[in-house]
Amino acid sequence: MPRRHMFLGLLVVFIWGTNFVVIDVGLDSFPPLLFAALRFTFVALPAVFFVGRPGAPWKLVALVGILQGAGQFGLLFVGMNLGVPPGLASLVLQGQAAFTVLFAFLVLRERPGPIVAAGVLAGVAGLTVIALGTGSVSLGALLVVVAAGACWAAANITTRIAKPENGFKLTIWSALAAPVPLTLLSLVFEGPERDRAALASLDWQGVGALAFTVVLSTIVAFGIWASLLRSNTASSVSAFSLLVPVVGMATAWLALGEVPTTADWIGGALILGGVVAVIRPDAFKAPGRITGDRPTANQGPDAASSDRTDTTPKAASAAPAGETKKG
């Protein structure tokens, strides 16, 4: 992975790590499903009228939006609303890295080499150590956040298959698929009265939390994330997410007083070691792929994919009959 991509991955880690405390603040102002619906509404509108199409099959674009919107964030917000604290949520959600490696093997036939396998195992071991050292949080709430991580992993693989021409455009257009199902779920499970009351009593704290999740956490961070997935293996990109709980737990410590335990420090060290192992440029072996390719100095994040052999099954990556990709 080129150094520029590593820097961008670390920038995303910082934004997403701090985002968990921001979500916790936002949940004081909104019911969880309404919060998620508003988030993706303002990601898509009005930007969709000014941003070109992502250059990917529409069915895959919509699937990414549903997996990230109703799946990843709808479930994450619900889990945190049920009592999973921000630091722990940032940790549990990163189970997506293991799910991504598994899904990449099953769907894309990306075979992790021994270094990747060891790195992922170290990361999972770190997550397990931290999880075992947590206090009393309901198993149901934790499983909701685990399911959110699985949806994130599925969105990673869908993005890899779609191969959008531009990650930012994919982020904007895919967001169109999320608000309607999230709003309907909010009306059913949270009720119209609760939603109206939240909107009527909206304050600057809620507005600020919503703005952070819309602009930085979604438009900026997911735009970068989608571009990295287009140019690198799904497993290598997802490895960066193992650093998110380190930032998330540190932010929760500073902002909310969630003091890390000894298990947190040990688990964090294992996670860092796992990420270092996984992002090695020679750590991946996929059919037909030449590992260690780097874009030239004047190429952007997406340029590396043009020099690589496409490992995505043609049946999965090709646009449907009669549909052409547009920029």
Side-chain angles (χ1 to χ4, degrees):
M1 180 178 289
R3 290 181 181 177
R4 180 167 181 264
H5 290 195
M6 293 183 186
F7 171 79
L8 290 173
L10 292 174
L11 175 61
V12 171
V13 165
F14 177 78
I15 294 173
W16 282 345
T18 57
N19 187 52
F20 288 89
V21 170
V22 176
I23 291 172
D24 189 64
V25 171
L27 289 173
D28 290 335
S29 301
F30 304 102
L33 293 173
L34 176 63
F35 190 13
L38 290 172
R39 171 180 182 155
F40 285 92
T41 297
F42 289 113
V43 168
L45 301 174
V48 74
F49 296 110
F50 304 99
V51 174
R53 298 177 181 180
W58 289 115
K59 290 181 179 179
L60 296 180
V61 172
L63 182 57
V64 169
I66 292 173
L67 288 170
Q68 285 184 343
Q72 178 186 348
F73 286 101
L75 291 172
L76 172 63
F77 287 12
V78 169
M80 292 182 64
N81 191 64
L82 290 174
V84 180
L88 181 59
S90 70
L91 163 69
V92 175
L93 187 65
Q94 305 319 313
Q96 69 87 21
F99 281 117
T100 298
V101 172
L102 175 62
F103 295 165
F105 173 73
L106 295 175
V107 178
L108 304 180
R109 302 304 179 190
E110 289 182 1
R111 297 193 303 269
I115 297 176
V116 166
V120 170
L121 287 176
V124 172
L127 297 176
T128 302
V129 168
I130 297 175
L132 291 176
T134 60
S136 58
V137 177
S138 73
L139 178 60
L142 284 174
L143 290 177
V144 169
V145 180
V146 170
C151 288
W152 184 2
N156 287 342
I157 301 305
T158 305
T159 299
R160 181 73 174 150
I161 293 173
K163 292 188 178 294
E165 295 176 0
N166 183 283
F168 174 74
K169 294 177 181 179
L170 175 68
T171 299
I172 299 300
W173 281 89
S174 65
L176 279 174
V180 172
L182 283 168
T183 300
L184 292 175
L185 288 171
S186 178
L187 291 173
V188 171
F189 292 102
E190 296 167 347
E193 292 299 327
R194 187 181 175 190
D195 289 349
R196 278 197 295 266
L199 294 174
S201 61
L202 187 61
D203 56 16
W204 286 108
Q205 176 176 292
V207 172
L210 182 60
F212 185 98
T213 60
V214 169
V215 178
L216 291 178
S217 178
T218 306
I219 294 178
V220 174
F222 269 101
I224 295 173
W225 189 258
S227 294
L228 292 176
L229 283 168
R230 185 180 186 274
S231 304
N232 303 277
T233 63
S235 300
S236 62
V237 176
S238 68
F240 279 96
S241 70
L242 292 173
L243 290 172
V244 171
V246 177
V247 178
M249 298 183 82
T251 306
W253 180 15
L254 294 173
L256 303 175
E258 290 184 29
V259 181
T261 64
T262 301
D264 295 336
W265 291 114
I266 296 174
L270 287 169
I271 291 170
L272 287 171
V275 171
V276 170
V278 170
I279 64 177
R280 284 171 49 108
D282 60 343
F284 299 91
K285 294 181 180 180
R289 184 184 300 278
I290 301 175
T291 59
D293 291 344
R294 294 175 179 265
T296 58
N298 61 345
Q299 288 178 314
D302 295 341
S305 60
S306 63
D307 296 330
R308 298 175 182 266
T309 302
D310 185 8
T311 63
T312 306
K314 292 183 179 179
S317 61
E323 181 177 348
T324 58
K325 293 187 177 183
K326 298 180 181 179

